Amino acid sequence: MKKLAVVFLLGVCLLTAETVDLLVINRIKAEAFDNSRVMESAFYLSDVHGPRLTGSPGYRAAGEWARKRLEEWGLSNVRFENLPFGRSWSCSRFAAHMKEPQYAPLIGFARPWSPGTQGPVSGQPQMAVMSSEADFQQFKGKLKGRIVLLDRPRDLALPTSPLASRYTDRELAADELAPDPGRPFFARPRRGPNWESMRQFRNKLNQFLSDEGVAVVLSIGDRGDGGTVRASAQGSRDPKDPVPPPSVALAPEHYNRVARLIEKKIPVTLEFDIQARFHSDTQETFNVLADLPGTDRKDELVLLGAHLDSWTGGTGATDDASGCAVMMEAMRILKTLDLKMRRTVGVALWAGEEQGFLGSIAYVKQHLGDRETMTLKPGHARLSGYFNYDNGGGRIRGINLQNNDMMRPIAEAWLAPFKDHGAASVTIRNTGGTDHIPFDGIGIPGFQFIQDPLDYGTRTHHTNMDVFDRLQPGDLMQSAAIVASIAYHAANREELLPRKPLPKPEPKKP
């Protein structure tokens, strides 16, 4: 009897085991590695059209290029889907100099949604650190025409660790362990109350600085050193919010030098020449979407995605031209090989990820349902799963299951043929911070890959060093092959991908 039970259980396991087509995977690898176009796509998205702040001329040019390229590759239903955004912004000139006590060029960039200087502006810098409204009073009437340093200098530690790294087997093994249930991680599509209070203070600070007639606002890069400047917006895409004075993020070493000279009461003269423009001709932006139609189950969908927008210090190569290039390349591979897929495979290049997943949230609301009420649309039942690429340009090492236990045997089977390419890690853990979150939040299987960090967190993320040279061709080629294989197998499996229980409605808080 025991033998019969064992045989029966073994038979059930064999019947339910996830199958992979090794011949198709072999063809996918050959196309991905021997005929790759992924770096060409990354070049156009970064070197030619970067940066790509949402709604800016660079963003539109990148979207037009992507649409044309996807059409040339033979994809179907290539389209823009509009969504509300607000005003955009672009910078066409930035020059920053120290004129005394000795001349030096300053490393930095204009912060988004701040105006230009209307020609060169020179002046004496002044420290005016303001971290709350209570600090405004001590500077009232004292800042007119001044170049103002808003931040305290930052101590820079001696760098003793390499700037770039790959995950070790030990690190991946540790990540595969379930997290401490006493410290759960909840990924949410909305920003919390702390972000809202920061936004409100930023608006009050910008209004105060503008009312006081500040000539230029300087801030220190909030992470990195060695010439790396990391910063995002000083102003706002909302036309109702106050416009700050011209605003600049400086490399920490240069910012600290100016601050030391001020402290020692040595005369300092700085000069800035910034040309920047607000784009208010339209308050909308767009996602780019395209499809490879399926066969007998063409109404069902497997969706790939990455975000097209970037910040403006660099050209947005690792964040996230790399992801867009990988997802476009996966679609090219599937189309070039003329692989027959039962479900439609789609690709989405999202707008507004950097402003809070705006593009993917808009897609979810238009096609899948309302997260606040959990009122679902017919598309919700037809979307099998969403796969996202947005952790820099590092090769895929595995996948985060977003607490979806039912996906484990499927993901393990899909990744097994790529074990010799370094991709075998499957973890139950959640990860946040990118466009799979709105899908997961409404009950769709949504996943972000585990990627080697390289120098994403130390050098390129939201910085002036986010440029094409930081991309590793082999990593993107490997990633495109894995994504293409996963898309193929998800499109051809008998069932939709297994889902977690639907989340409860999440009404917007007043």
Side-chain angles (χ1 to χ4, degrees):
M1 194 68 178
K2 268 188 182 178
K3 272 187 180 179
L4 285 173
V6 170
V7 169
F8 174 77
L9 288 172
L10 182 59
V12 169
C13 289
L14 289 172
L15 285 171
T16 58
E18 193 73 15
T19 59
V20 293
D21 189 326
L22 294 179
L23 176 58
V24 166
I25 291 174
N26 181 268
R27 295 179 65 201
I28 285 173
K29 287 182 180 180
E31 180 63 27
F33 302 157
D34 298 339
N35 302 306
S36 178
R37 302 282 294 276
V38 71
M39 294 304 290
E40 178 185 326
S41 294
F43 161 76
Y44 277 99
L45 290 170
S46 56
D47 277 351
V48 178
H49 298 303
R52 306 172 305 280
L53 187 71
T54 300
S56 69
Y59 181 88
R60 175 159 288 278
E64 295 283 3
W65 174 86
R67 179 167 66 176
K68 182 179 179 182
R69 186 52 52 93
L70 292 168
E71 288 172 343
E72 290 172 351
W73 289 345
L75 273 69
S76 300
N77 196 22
V78 184
R79 63 204 184 274
F80 289 168
E81 286 191 356
N82 290 344
L83 61 137
F85 179 70
R87 63 189 174 191
S88 191
W89 177 93
S90 63
C91 180
S92 57
R93 175 175 171 79
F94 176 82
H97 311 274
M98 177 186 288
K99 299 178 72 175
E100 64 168 339
Q102 302 292 333
Y103 173 78
L106 300 176
I107 298 174
F109 54 84
R111 297 186 66 177
W113 289 290
S114 65
T117 56
Q118 307 301 313
V121 171
S122 296
Q124 303 291 317
Q126 175 179 339
M127 294 295 303
V129 177
M130 288 175 271
S131 54
S132 70
E133 287 184 74
D135 296 324
F136 294 174
Q137 191 59 39
Q138 63 176 308
F139 296 109
K140 191 169 181 60
K142 300 176 182 178
L143 302 178
K144 186 174 178 61
R146 302 303 293 269
I147 296 170
V148 171
L149 281 72
L150 279 184
D151 300 321
R152 292 181 176 84
R154 179 153 61 87
D155 291 334
L156 303 181
L158 177 69
T160 57
S161 300
L163 284 174
S165 64
R166 295 192 183 275
Y167 285 127
T168 65
D169 290 343
R170 183 175 181 179
E171 288 170 328
L172 290 169
D175 196 51
E176 289 176 10
L177 298 175
D180 180 352
R183 301 179 63 186
F185 174 85
F186 295 104
R188 291 287 184 256
R190 295 203 192 97
R191 288 164 164 171
N194 187 52
W195 181 88
E196 179 59 27
S197 64
M198 290 170 61
R199 188 190 70 82
Q200 291 176 3
F201 174 69
R202 179 199 64 193
N203 285 344
K204 292 174 182 177
L205 175 62
N206 287 342
Q207 187 67 64
F208 175 76
L209 294 169
S210 183
D211 291 345
E212 291 298 302
V214 170
V216 179
V217 174
L218 304 184
S219 57
I220 194 168
D222 62 17
R223 193 171 71 202
D225 51 35
T228 297
V229 187
R230 182 182 187 271
S232 52
Q234 178 70 26
S236 167
R237 62 189 171 91
D238 188 339
K240 299 189 296 294
D241 287 344
V243 175
S247 302
V248 173
L250 285 183
E253 294 87 349
H254 290 180
Y255 188 97
N256 286 353
R257 180 184 180 187
V258 174
R260 287 191 298 269
L261 290 167
I262 294 171
E263 182 184 18
K264 298 295 185 181
K265 297 183 170 32
I266 294 173
V268 187
T269 302
L270 306 180
E271 181 181 89
F272 296 90
D273 186 4
I274 304 168
Q275 294 177 13
R277 180 184 171 192
F278 291 87
H279 301 277
S280 302
D281 50 323
T282 177
Q283 301 292 304
E284 289 189 328
T285 187
F286 57 86
N287 298 321
V288 184
L289 296 108
D291 298 325
L292 288 172
T295 55
D296 62 309
R297 304 183 75 165
K298 63 184 178 183
D299 291 338
E300 296 175 353
L301 178 66
V302 174
L303 188 60
L304 314 177
H307 69 88
L308 185 60
D309 66 306
S310 75
W311 285 116
T312 58
T315 59
T318 68
D319 190 20
D320 187 26
S322 55
C324 293
V326 163
M327 294 312 196
M328 289 176 66
E329 177 73 354
M331 298 293 280
R332 185 196 68 79
I333 292 167
L334 295 171
K335 177 62 178 178
T336 299
L337 297 178
D338 194 26
L339 297 174
K340 304 306 178 189
M341 295 176 288
R342 301 180 68 189
R343 296 181 180 87
T344 295
V345 175
V347 65
L349 310 181
W350 305 117
E353 189 272 350
E354 300 293 4
Q355 287 73 47
F357 320 148
L358 300 181
S360 52
I361 287 175
Y363 178 93
V364 165
K365 192 164 188 177
Q366 179 179 344
H367 297 281
L368 306 180
D370 190 322
R371 178 66 187 92
E372 294 175 16
T373 64
M374 286 305 295
T375 302
L376 303 181
K377 297 186 175 183
H380 189 277
R382 297 196 294 263
L383 179 53
S384 183
Y386 172 72
F387 298 91
N388 196 73
Y389 192 100
D390 178 28
N391 280 163
R395 65 181 176 178
I396 291 174
R397 304 302 304 277
I399 194 166
N400 298 283
L401 296 182
Q402 294 296 126
N403 207 33
N404 186 338
D405 285 290
M406 300 74 72
M407 274 294 299
R408 181 180 296 279
I410 300 169
E412 288 175 344
W414 286 349
L415 290 177
F418 295 94
K419 185 177 181 180
D420 57 344
H421 291 278
S425 185
V426 177
T427 176
I428 196 64
R429 293 173 185 263
N430 294 329
T431 188
T434 188
D435 286 300
H436 67 295
I437 293 299
F439 291 89
D440 183 65
I442 203 166
I444 296 293
F447 309 101
Q448 163 64 36
F449 294 102
I450 301 167
Q451 296 172 240
D452 269 337
L454 305 184
D455 52 359
Y456 187 59
T458 56
R459 176 183 273 170
T460 69
H461 184 230
H462 295 180
T463 78
N464 57 327
M465 297 296 173
D466 187 4
V467 294
F468 182 86
D469 303 84
R470 306 316 321 155
L471 299 175
Q472 305 303 310
D475 288 44
L476 300 187
M477 292 160 68
Q478 178 255 31
S479 296
I482 291 173
V483 171
S485 176
I486 285 176
Y488 172 83
H489 287 96
N492 281 320
R493 70 190 311 271
E494 186 61 34
E495 304 294 335
L496 294 171
L497 294 177
R499 301 184 175 195
K500 297 181 289 188
L502 279 177
K504 295 178 181 178
E506 193 176 75
K508 187 181 291 185
K509 294 178 181 177

